[in-house]
């Protein structure tokens, strides 16, 4: 890492107290609210003034906007004044770096709420995710925020895990492509992205949050690492956050092998590693690896964690004592301080004029541009799972809108939305943005009668009769079921809300089945943060149509109404397979032959709907598929809209290494493209994929492409060939950093 003279001079003038102050955050306005794991058991300000707390300076201000509802403009003015005070009154005049959560948009009151990351994956639209991230970053910069704690690049392995809602997909390449786009967008606006959670977090045992991970080095390298590598090498991400978990008995927060040797040595990362909230203290508290906070600080600092967030539970007095006792080299403190100061310099915080300008008098965090992006991403992410002709709804139809998620704005939002993350502690406070529910949106186009039916959770069936009556009197019933996102037991999905079953929560399935029994066509709409076991709904005797929406955000209700009415043809595809049951593991598509169904086991891991699945109101055909290999893999196919309505086809390129030195997946996504087509239109889609899409770590843990035959095909999903496969011969190739580019896609007119 190259360090400027200015940064070196600052370090040379610092006392130990001033150094460690740069390595911690301070969480303003926490007020005992639990919006992070075990936050109520950690250190507080103990009634001290902010001036006293920051007398030696401060590294980060934690969630200035995202801890309680504050007026954005008033808070921005306060923040500018506070930064000026730090510059004026602390000895070295170093301002604070401000970080916020921004996974579904800036987690602040009155800020736009976008679809959850699982919906980003369902859109298969990296360009639109990049556009969204840029708009989020621009809002953050206007507020004086410098770093965003997103994106989440964990690869989904077990849908019981509550944090699936925060993830993009079960496919590492889709995660990496979409996640890298988010990084580029956020950083284009001048806000540093933070990749999380490095590494292996989503492989926690039985889908339990913070549970141990038992993953071999090859699975870590070939499944969990690639998205981070893509976002670092191709996206230039500036910050990384550690994983809470332990892998084979070693907590990641204490692992120099992961946080230094791999991250910095092999991947070349030169930015700042921040601790997930309280992760340093957890080395003592939940891992029992350290005897006290000082020992925890020593382990984390040596491993490569530069900044302790959200506050200084271990990196303040406990670390200072260790350094002064000669038990921790001060050079480790200096290493981290140099990285922090270099980041602040890059962000312009050390410039003399950094805070000359006053904050804007008015700040709109939910502009028409925000809403347009939110609507487009929501529409693109809705997945049509089944349809026997009930959709689109007939014009003028009498529609019964039923269900626990039909008329709740909170049901449209993920765990890290401000409403579900923070406003749950402030009952009665309005969300602060316009967010029409599914009921409200449908009422704009149809004659609607509403009935609750039941709550998301619980066993109360007292509303069933009213719901059945409403369905019986209607031409069609739209029943909206699913999740309530929240944290640590306050909801059915989200951080700390892990599930033992993949059945719909409460009595929602029974409600749907009772409505189907009325004889009225039923359209089941799922607003969820995880895939549920839906075999009962997707076979004979189930609803007439099933629509999956992964927390589609502030425009989700309107997007669903437009899709149900036929104004928009659905184009979302499943970013995760739909499991048959919680025990049908491994249910994901990226598995070797041994993990699939066979006669040697009585359990069937075949998903109810495979990865990449999604129906449309249009129909498409493929022709003229060809594939060749040289320095890269070139695949070309013609896709035609054979219907009388416009639509978007998500063209998916798959491959399979026929015989290798280790077992390989039966199907692997090589590339994808969203292709808009008018009725009757044809286009040629050309993929230029690097050979590294077939790479893996061999028996000696070298990353290679092995010579031999491989099958390549276009799939309508991971389980269905849309056109006959082509066999190619792969050359032997050792993979270097230069081989890790993204797949390039070209669309051209058919001749």
């Amino acid at each position: 890492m190259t360090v400027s003279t200015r940064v070196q001079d600052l370090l040379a003038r610092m006392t130990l107290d001033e150094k460690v102050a740069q390595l911690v955050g301070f969480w303003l306005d926490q007020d005992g609210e639990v919006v992070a794991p075990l936050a109520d058991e950690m250190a507080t300000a103990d009634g001290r003034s902010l001036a006293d707390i920051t007398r030696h300076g401060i590294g980060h201000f934690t969630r200035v906007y995202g801890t309680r509802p504050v007026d954005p403009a008033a808070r921005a003015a306060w923040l500018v004044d506070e930064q000026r005070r730090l510059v004026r009154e602390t000895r070295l005049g170093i301002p604070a770096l401000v970080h916020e959560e921004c996974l579904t948009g800036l987690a602040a009151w009155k800020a736009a709420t976008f679809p959850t990351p699982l919906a980003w994956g369902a859109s298969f639209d990296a360009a639109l995710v990049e556009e969204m991230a840029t708009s989020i970053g621009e809002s953050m910069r206007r507020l004086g925020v410098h770093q965003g704690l997103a994106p989440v690049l964990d690869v989904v392995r077990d849908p019981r895990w509550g944090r699936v809602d925060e993830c993009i997909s079960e496919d590492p390449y889709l995660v990496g492509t979409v996640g890298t786009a988010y990084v580029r967008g956020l950083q284009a606006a001048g806000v540093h992205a933070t990749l999380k959670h490095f590494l292996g977090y989503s492989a926690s045992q039985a889908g339990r949050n913070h549970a141990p991970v038992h993953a071999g080095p090859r699975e870590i390298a070939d499944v969990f690492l690639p998205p981070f590598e893509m976002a670092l090498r191709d996206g230039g991400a500036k910050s990384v956050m550690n994983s809470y978990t332990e892998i084979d008995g070693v907590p990641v927060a204490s692992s120099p092998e992961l946080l230094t040797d791999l991250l910095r040595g092999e991947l070349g990362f030169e930015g700042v590693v921040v601790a997930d909230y309280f992760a340093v203290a957890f080395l003592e508290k939940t891992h029992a690896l350290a005897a006290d906070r000082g020992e925890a600080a020593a382990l984390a600092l040596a491993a490569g964690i530069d900044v302790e967030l959200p506050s200084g539970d271990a990196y303040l007095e406990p670390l200072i004592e260790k350094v002064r006792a000669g038990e921790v080299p001060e050079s480790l403190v200096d290493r981290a301080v140099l990285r922090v100061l270099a980041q602040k310099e890059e962000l312009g915080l050390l410039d003399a004029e950094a805070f000359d300008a006053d904050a804007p008098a008015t700040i709109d965090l939910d502009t028409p541009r925000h809403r347009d992006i939110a609507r487009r991403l929501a529409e693109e992410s809705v997945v049509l799972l089944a349809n026997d002709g009930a959709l689109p709804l007939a014009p003028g139809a009498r529609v019964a809108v039923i269900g626990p998620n039909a008329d709740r704005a909170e049901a449209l939002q993920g765990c890290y939305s401000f409403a579900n993350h923070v406003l749950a502690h402030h009952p009665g406070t309005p969300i602060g943005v316009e967010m029409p529910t599914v009921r409200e949106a449908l009422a704009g186009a149809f004659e609607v009668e509403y009935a609750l039916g039941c709550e998301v959770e619980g066993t109360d069936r007292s509303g069933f009769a009213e719901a059945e009556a409403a369905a019986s009197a209607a031409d069609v019933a739209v029943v909206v079921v699913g999740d309530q996102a929240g944290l640590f037991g306050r909801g059915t999905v989200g951080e700390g809300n892990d599930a033992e079953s993949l059945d719909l929560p409460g009595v929602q399935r029974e409600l749907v089945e009772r409505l189907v029994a009325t004889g009225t066509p039923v359209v089941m709409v799922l607003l969820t943060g995880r895939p549920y076991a839906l075999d009962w709904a997707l076979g004979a005797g189930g609803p007439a149509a099933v629509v999956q929406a992964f927390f589609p955000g502030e425009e989700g209700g309107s997007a669903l109404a437009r899709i149900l009415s036929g104004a928009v043809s659905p184009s979302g595809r499943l970013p995760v397979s739909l499991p048959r049951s919680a025990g049908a593991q491994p249910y994901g598509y990226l598995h070797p032959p041994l993990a699939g169904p066979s006669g040697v086991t009585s359990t069937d891991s075949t998903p109810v709907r495979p990865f990449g699945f999604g129906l449309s109101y249009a129909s498409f055909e493929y022709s003229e598929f060809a594939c060749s290999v040289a320095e890269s893999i070139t695949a070309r196919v013609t896709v035609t809209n054979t219907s009388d309505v416009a639509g978007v086809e998500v063209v998916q390129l798959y491959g399979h290494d026929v015989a290798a030195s280790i077992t390989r997946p039966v199907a692997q996504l090589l590339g994808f493209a969203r292709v808009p087509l008018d009725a009757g239109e044809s286009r040629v889609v050309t993929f230029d994929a690097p050979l590294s899409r077939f790479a893996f770590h061999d028996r000696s843990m070298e990353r290679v492409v092995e010579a031999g035959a491989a099958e390549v095909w276009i799939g309508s999903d991971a389980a269905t060939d849309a056109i006959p496969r082509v066999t190619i011969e792969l050359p032997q190739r050792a993979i270097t950093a230069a081989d890790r580019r993204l797949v390039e896609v070209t669309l051209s007119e058919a001749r």
Side-chain angles (χ1 to χ4, degrees), residues 708-733:
E711 296 176 329
V712 180
W713 69 96
I714 297 292
S716 53
D717 53 58
T720 309
D721 297 3
I723 202 163
R725 303 184 179 197
V726 170
T727 300
I728 61 174
E729 288 293 323
L730 296 173
Q732 186 77 21
R733 172 75 65 86

PDB file of all heavy atoms in Angstrom, residues 708-733:
ATOM      1  N   GLY A 708     -10.050 -31.516 -21.572  1.00  0.00           N
ATOM      2  CA  GLY A 708     -11.044 -32.560 -21.717  1.00  0.00           C
ATOM      3  C   GLY A 708     -12.362 -32.033 -22.221  1.00  0.00           C
ATOM      4  O   GLY A 708     -12.528 -30.831 -22.478  1.00  0.00           O
ATOM      5  N   ALA A 709     -13.318 -32.946 -22.337  1.00  0.00           N
ATOM      6  CA  ALA A 709     -14.617 -32.593 -22.905  1.00  0.00           C
ATOM      7  C   ALA A 709     -15.489 -31.862 -21.885  1.00  0.00           C
ATOM      8  O   ALA A 709     -15.448 -32.140 -20.686  1.00  0.00           O
ATOM      9  CB  ALA A 709     -15.338 -33.855 -23.379  1.00  0.00           C
ATOM     10  N   ALA A 710     -16.255 -30.911 -22.402  1.00  0.00           N
ATOM     11  CA  ALA A 710     -17.247 -30.208 -21.604  1.00  0.00           C
ATOM     12  C   ALA A 710     -18.492 -30.005 -22.442  1.00  0.00           C
ATOM     13  O   ALA A 710     -18.414 -29.786 -23.661  1.00  0.00           O
ATOM     14  CB  ALA A 710     -16.710 -28.869 -21.122  1.00  0.00           C
ATOM     15  N   GLU A 711     -19.635 -30.078 -21.801  1.00  0.00           N
ATOM     16  CA  GLU A 711     -20.901 -29.800 -22.468  1.00  0.00           C
ATOM     17  C   GLU A 711     -21.313 -28.357 -22.200  1.00  0.00           C
ATOM     18  O   GLU A 711     -21.161 -27.855 -21.078  1.00  0.00           O
ATOM     19  CB  GLU A 711     -21.986 -30.738 -21.965  1.00  0.00           C
ATOM     20  CG  GLU A 711     -21.735 -32.202 -22.283  1.00  0.00           C
ATOM     21  CD  GLU A 711     -22.778 -33.114 -21.678  1.00  0.00           C
ATOM     22  OE1 GLU A 711     -23.321 -32.772 -20.602  1.00  0.00           O
ATOM     23  OE2 GLU A 711     -23.052 -34.176 -22.269  1.00  0.00           O
ATOM     24  N   VAL A 712     -21.865 -27.719 -23.209  1.00  0.00           N
ATOM     25  CA  VAL A 712     -22.352 -26.347 -23.092  1.00  0.00           C
ATOM     26  C   VAL A 712     -23.740 -26.298 -23.713  1.00  0.00           C
ATOM     27  O   VAL A 712     -23.979 -26.906 -24.765  1.00  0.00           O
ATOM     28  CB  VAL A 712     -21.405 -25.357 -23.804  1.00  0.00           C
ATOM     29  CG1 VAL A 712     -21.940 -23.931 -23.680  1.00  0.00           C
ATOM     30  CG2 VAL A 712     -20.000 -25.436 -23.212  1.00  0.00           C
ATOM     31  N   TRP A 713     -24.654 -25.587 -23.064  1.00  0.00           N
ATOM     32  CA  TRP A 713     -26.016 -25.516 -23.583  1.00  0.00           C
ATOM     33  C   TRP A 713     -26.725 -24.266 -23.091  1.00  0.00           C
ATOM     34  O   TRP A 713     -26.290 -23.618 -22.149  1.00  0.00           O
ATOM     35  CB  TRP A 713     -26.814 -26.758 -23.214  1.00  0.00           C
ATOM     36  CG  TRP A 713     -27.147 -26.923 -21.759  1.00  0.00           C
ATOM     37  CD1 TRP A 713     -28.299 -26.577 -21.124  1.00  0.00           C
ATOM     38  CD2 TRP A 713     -26.312 -27.487 -20.741  1.00  0.00           C
ATOM     39  NE1 TRP A 713     -28.249 -26.887 -19.786  1.00  0.00           N
ATOM     40  CE2 TRP A 713     -27.036 -27.455 -19.523  1.00  0.00           C
ATOM     41  CE3 TRP A 713     -25.009 -28.025 -20.738  1.00  0.00           C
ATOM     42  CZ2 TRP A 713     -26.518 -27.926 -18.318  1.00  0.00           C
ATOM     43  CZ3 TRP A 713     -24.492 -28.499 -19.546  1.00  0.00           C
ATOM     44  CH2 TRP A 713     -25.236 -28.441 -18.368  1.00  0.00           C
ATOM     45  N   ILE A 714     -27.810 -23.951 -23.778  1.00  0.00           N
ATOM     46  CA  ILE A 714     -28.726 -22.905 -23.336  1.00  0.00           C
ATOM     47  C   ILE A 714     -29.849 -23.576 -22.564  1.00  0.00           C
ATOM     48  O   ILE A 714     -30.464 -24.528 -23.038  1.00  0.00           O
ATOM     49  CB  ILE A 714     -29.306 -22.112 -24.527  1.00  0.00           C
ATOM     50  CG1 ILE A 714     -28.188 -21.391 -25.283  1.00  0.00           C
ATOM     51  CG2 ILE A 714     -30.366 -21.120 -24.045  1.00  0.00           C
ATOM     52  CD1 ILE A 714     -27.531 -20.269 -24.516  1.00  0.00           C
ATOM     53  N   GLY A 715     -30.121 -23.063 -21.354  1.00  0.00           N
ATOM     54  CA  GLY A 715     -31.185 -23.633 -20.547  1.00  0.00           C
ATOM     55  C   GLY A 715     -32.276 -22.627 -20.274  1.00  0.00           C
ATOM     56  O   GLY A 715     -32.000 -21.434 -20.097  1.00  0.00           O
ATOM     57  N   SER A 716     -33.510 -23.090 -20.231  1.00  0.00           N
ATOM     58  CA  SER A 716     -34.576 -22.210 -19.774  1.00  0.00           C
ATOM     59  C   SER A 716     -34.538 -22.085 -18.255  1.00  0.00           C
ATOM     60  O   SER A 716     -35.155 -21.198 -17.674  1.00  0.00           O
ATOM     61  CB  SER A 716     -35.937 -22.737 -20.241  1.00  0.00           C
ATOM     62  OG  SER A 716     -36.111 -24.084 -19.869  1.00  0.00           O
ATOM     63  N   ASP A 717     -33.801 -23.010 -17.612  1.00  0.00           N
ATOM     64  CA  ASP A 717     -33.461 -22.948 -16.194  1.00  0.00           C
ATOM     65  C   ASP A 717     -32.345 -23.959 -16.004  1.00  0.00           C
ATOM     66  O   ASP A 717     -31.863 -24.567 -16.970  1.00  0.00           O
ATOM     67  CB  ASP A 717     -34.672 -23.235 -15.302  1.00  0.00           C
ATOM     68  CG  ASP A 717     -35.381 -24.532 -15.644  1.00  0.00           C
ATOM     69  OD1 ASP A 717     -34.725 -25.594 -15.611  1.00  0.00           O
ATOM     70  OD2 ASP A 717     -36.583 -24.491 -15.963  1.00  0.00           O
ATOM     71  N   ALA A 718     -31.918 -24.176 -14.763  1.00  0.00           N
ATOM     72  CA  ALA A 718     -30.769 -25.047 -14.527  1.00  0.00           C
ATOM     73  C   ALA A 718     -31.070 -26.517 -14.796  1.00  0.00           C
ATOM     74  O   ALA A 718     -30.139 -27.321 -14.935  1.00  0.00           O
ATOM     75  CB  ALA A 718     -30.288 -24.887 -13.100  1.00  0.00           C
ATOM     76  N   ALA A 719     -32.357 -26.882 -14.866  1.00  0.00           N
ATOM     77  CA  ALA A 719     -32.724 -28.285 -15.027  1.00  0.00           C
ATOM     78  C   ALA A 719     -33.271 -28.622 -16.402  1.00  0.00           C
ATOM     79  O   ALA A 719     -33.521 -29.795 -16.689  1.00  0.00           O
ATOM     80  CB  ALA A 719     -33.757 -28.675 -13.959  1.00  0.00           C
ATOM     81  N   THR A 720     -33.464 -27.636 -17.259  1.00  0.00           N
ATOM     82  CA  THR A 720     -34.155 -27.866 -18.521  1.00  0.00           C
ATOM     83  C   THR A 720     -33.346 -27.321 -19.689  1.00  0.00           C
ATOM     84  O   THR A 720     -33.081 -26.113 -19.767  1.00  0.00           O
ATOM     85  CB  THR A 720     -35.540 -27.187 -18.517  1.00  0.00           C
ATOM     86  OG1 THR A 720     -36.250 -27.556 -17.349  1.00  0.00           O
ATOM     87  CG2 THR A 720     -36.328 -27.575 -19.752  1.00  0.00           C
ATOM     88  N   ASP A 721     -32.941 -28.208 -20.589  1.00  0.00           N
ATOM     89  CA  ASP A 721     -32.247 -27.776 -21.799  1.00  0.00           C
ATOM     90  C   ASP A 721     -33.247 -27.161 -22.760  1.00  0.00           C
ATOM     91  O   ASP A 721     -34.255 -27.777 -23.097  1.00  0.00           O
ATOM     92  CB  ASP A 721     -31.556 -28.955 -22.485  1.00  0.00           C
ATOM     93  CG  ASP A 721     -30.483 -29.587 -21.625  1.00  0.00           C
ATOM     94  OD1 ASP A 721     -30.309 -29.152 -20.473  1.00  0.00           O
ATOM     95  OD2 ASP A 721     -29.819 -30.528 -22.113  1.00  0.00           O
ATOM     96  N   ALA A 722     -32.958 -25.950 -23.228  1.00  0.00           N
ATOM     97  CA  ALA A 722     -33.837 -25.303 -24.195  1.00  0.00           C
ATOM     98  C   ALA A 722     -33.463 -25.668 -25.621  1.00  0.00           C
ATOM     99  O   ALA A 722     -34.228 -25.409 -26.556  1.00  0.00           O
ATOM    100  CB  ALA A 722     -33.780 -23.782 -24.018  1.00  0.00           C
ATOM    101  N   ILE A 723     -32.301 -26.276 -25.778  1.00  0.00           N
ATOM    102  CA  ILE A 723     -31.783 -26.595 -27.103  1.00  0.00           C
ATOM    103  C   ILE A 723     -30.717 -27.670 -26.916  1.00  0.00           C
ATOM    104  O   ILE A 723     -30.117 -27.758 -25.830  1.00  0.00           O
ATOM    105  CB  ILE A 723     -31.213 -25.315 -27.771  1.00  0.00           C
ATOM    106  CG1 ILE A 723     -31.157 -25.453 -29.289  1.00  0.00           C
ATOM    107  CG2 ILE A 723     -29.876 -24.909 -27.177  1.00  0.00           C
ATOM    108  CD1 ILE A 723     -30.998 -24.115 -29.997  1.00  0.00           C
ATOM    109  N   PRO A 724     -30.472 -28.555 -27.896  1.00  0.00           N
ATOM    110  CA  PRO A 724     -29.481 -29.625 -27.700  1.00  0.00           C
ATOM    111  C   PRO A 724     -28.100 -29.097 -27.313  1.00  0.00           C
ATOM    112  O   PRO A 724     -27.666 -28.035 -27.747  1.00  0.00           O
ATOM    113  CB  PRO A 724     -29.458 -30.320 -29.065  1.00  0.00           C
ATOM    114  CG  PRO A 724     -30.813 -30.081 -29.625  1.00  0.00           C
ATOM    115  CD  PRO A 724     -31.188 -28.698 -29.167  1.00  0.00           C
ATOM    116  N   ARG A 725     -27.412 -29.872 -26.500  1.00  0.00           N
ATOM    117  CA  ARG A 725     -26.091 -29.492 -25.999  1.00  0.00           C
ATOM    118  C   ARG A 725     -25.016 -29.628 -27.068  1.00  0.00           C
ATOM    119  O   ARG A 725     -25.141 -30.416 -28.012  1.00  0.00           O
ATOM    120  CB  ARG A 725     -25.709 -30.353 -24.792  1.00  0.00           C
ATOM    121  CG  ARG A 725     -26.711 -30.275 -23.655  1.00  0.00           C
ATOM    122  CD  ARG A 725     -26.249 -31.058 -22.439  1.00  0.00           C
ATOM    123  NE  ARG A 725     -27.226 -30.937 -21.350  1.00  0.00           N
ATOM    124  CZ  ARG A 725     -26.974 -31.214 -20.084  1.00  0.00           C
ATOM    125  NH1 ARG A 725     -25.771 -31.666 -19.735  1.00  0.00           N
ATOM    126  NH2 ARG A 725     -27.907 -31.061 -19.176  1.00  0.00           N
ATOM    127  N   VAL A 726     -23.958 -28.863 -26.885  1.00  0.00           N
ATOM    128  CA  VAL A 726     -22.784 -28.928 -27.747  1.00  0.00           C
ATOM    129  C   VAL A 726     -21.596 -29.347 -26.891  1.00  0.00           C
ATOM    130  O   VAL A 726     -21.439 -28.875 -25.758  1.00  0.00           O
ATOM    131  CB  VAL A 726     -22.499 -27.565 -28.407  1.00  0.00           C
ATOM    132  CG1 VAL A 726     -21.150 -27.557 -29.093  1.00  0.00           C
ATOM    133  CG2 VAL A 726     -23.609 -27.203 -29.390  1.00  0.00           C
ATOM    134  N   THR A 727     -20.763 -30.242 -27.405  1.00  0.00           N
ATOM    135  CA  THR A 727     -19.564 -30.676 -26.689  1.00  0.00           C
ATOM    136  C   THR A 727     -18.353 -29.936 -27.225  1.00  0.00           C
ATOM    137  O   THR A 727     -18.153 -29.847 -28.441  1.00  0.00           O
ATOM    138  CB  THR A 727     -19.356 -32.189 -26.827  1.00  0.00           C
ATOM    139  OG1 THR A 727     -20.491 -32.876 -26.273  1.00  0.00           O
ATOM    140  CG2 THR A 727     -18.101 -32.634 -26.084  1.00  0.00           C
ATOM    141  N   ILE A 728     -17.572 -29.371 -26.323  1.00  0.00           N
ATOM    142  CA  ILE A 728     -16.337 -28.671 -26.687  1.00  0.00           C
ATOM    143  C   ILE A 728     -15.165 -29.341 -25.980  1.00  0.00           C
ATOM    144  O   ILE A 728     -15.351 -30.108 -25.031  1.00  0.00           O
ATOM    145  CB  ILE A 728     -16.392 -27.179 -26.320  1.00  0.00           C
ATOM    146  CG1 ILE A 728     -16.574 -27.006 -24.797  1.00  0.00           C
ATOM    147  CG2 ILE A 728     -17.498 -26.469 -27.082  1.00  0.00           C
ATOM    148  CD1 ILE A 728     -16.487 -25.558 -24.326  1.00  0.00           C
ATOM    149  N   GLU A 729     -13.959 -29.048 -26.445  1.00  0.00           N
ATOM    150  CA  GLU A 729     -12.743 -29.567 -25.809  1.00  0.00           C
ATOM    151  C   GLU A 729     -12.036 -28.414 -25.115  1.00  0.00           C
ATOM    152  O   GLU A 729     -11.616 -27.445 -25.761  1.00  0.00           O
ATOM    153  CB  GLU A 729     -11.824 -30.226 -26.846  1.00  0.00           C
ATOM    154  CG  GLU A 729     -12.319 -31.559 -27.374  1.00  0.00           C
ATOM    155  CD  GLU A 729     -12.323 -32.636 -26.294  1.00  0.00           C
ATOM    156  OE1 GLU A 729     -11.395 -32.632 -25.443  1.00  0.00           O
ATOM    157  OE2 GLU A 729     -13.243 -33.483 -26.312  1.00  0.00           O
ATOM    158  N   LEU A 730     -11.907 -28.520 -23.808  1.00  0.00           N
ATOM    159  CA  LEU A 730     -11.219 -27.487 -23.038  1.00  0.00           C
ATOM    160  C   LEU A 730      -9.714 -27.725 -23.058  1.00  0.00           C
ATOM    161  O   LEU A 730      -9.262 -28.870 -22.941  1.00  0.00           O
ATOM    162  CB  LEU A 730     -11.704 -27.495 -21.592  1.00  0.00           C
ATOM    163  CG  LEU A 730     -13.178 -27.159 -21.348  1.00  0.00           C
ATOM    164  CD1 LEU A 730     -13.532 -27.393 -19.879  1.00  0.00           C
ATOM    165  CD2 LEU A 730     -13.464 -25.713 -21.735  1.00  0.00           C
ATOM    166  N   PRO A 731      -8.917 -26.680 -23.179  1.00  0.00           N
ATOM    167  CA  PRO A 731      -7.460 -26.826 -23.068  1.00  0.00           C
ATOM    168  C   PRO A 731      -7.023 -26.774 -21.602  1.00  0.00           C
ATOM    169  O   PRO A 731      -7.734 -26.254 -20.746  1.00  0.00           O
ATOM    170  CB  PRO A 731      -6.946 -25.601 -23.823  1.00  0.00           C
ATOM    171  CG  PRO A 731      -7.996 -24.559 -23.570  1.00  0.00           C
ATOM    172  CD  PRO A 731      -9.311 -25.294 -23.506  1.00  0.00           C
ATOM    173  N   GLN A 732      -5.860 -27.326 -21.309  1.00  0.00           N
ATOM    174  CA  GLN A 732      -5.302 -27.207 -19.963  1.00  0.00           C
ATOM    175  C   GLN A 732      -4.885 -25.748 -19.738  1.00  0.00           C
ATOM    176  O   GLN A 732      -4.261 -25.125 -20.604  1.00  0.00           O
ATOM    177  CB  GLN A 732      -4.088 -28.132 -19.807  1.00  0.00           C
ATOM    178  CG  GLN A 732      -3.522 -28.190 -18.406  1.00  0.00           C
ATOM    179  CD  GLN A 732      -4.355 -29.047 -17.471  1.00  0.00           C
ATOM    180  OE1 GLN A 732      -5.122 -29.893 -17.936  1.00  0.00           O
ATOM    181  NE2 GLN A 732      -4.221 -28.832 -16.170  1.00  0.00           N
ATOM    182  N   ARG A 733      -5.234 -25.205 -18.593  1.00  0.00           N
ATOM    183  CA  ARG A 733      -4.903 -23.788 -18.345  1.00  0.00           C
ATOM    184  C   ARG A 733      -4.789 -23.549 -16.841  1.00  0.00           C
ATOM    185  O   ARG A 733      -5.705 -23.854 -16.086  1.00  0.00           O
ATOM    186  CB  ARG A 733      -6.002 -22.892 -18.924  1.00  0.00           C
ATOM    187  CG  ARG A 733      -5.898 -21.406 -18.579  1.00  0.00           C
ATOM    188  CD  ARG A 733      -4.805 -20.721 -19.377  1.00  0.00           C
ATOM    189  NE  ARG A 733      -5.083 -20.708 -20.784  1.00  0.00           N
ATOM    190  CZ  ARG A 733      -5.819 -19.779 -21.403  1.00  0.00           C
ATOM    191  NH1 ARG A 733      -6.379 -18.818 -20.708  1.00  0.00           N
ATOM    192  NH2 ARG A 733      -5.998 -19.837 -22.708  1.00  0.00           N
TER     193      ARG A 733
END
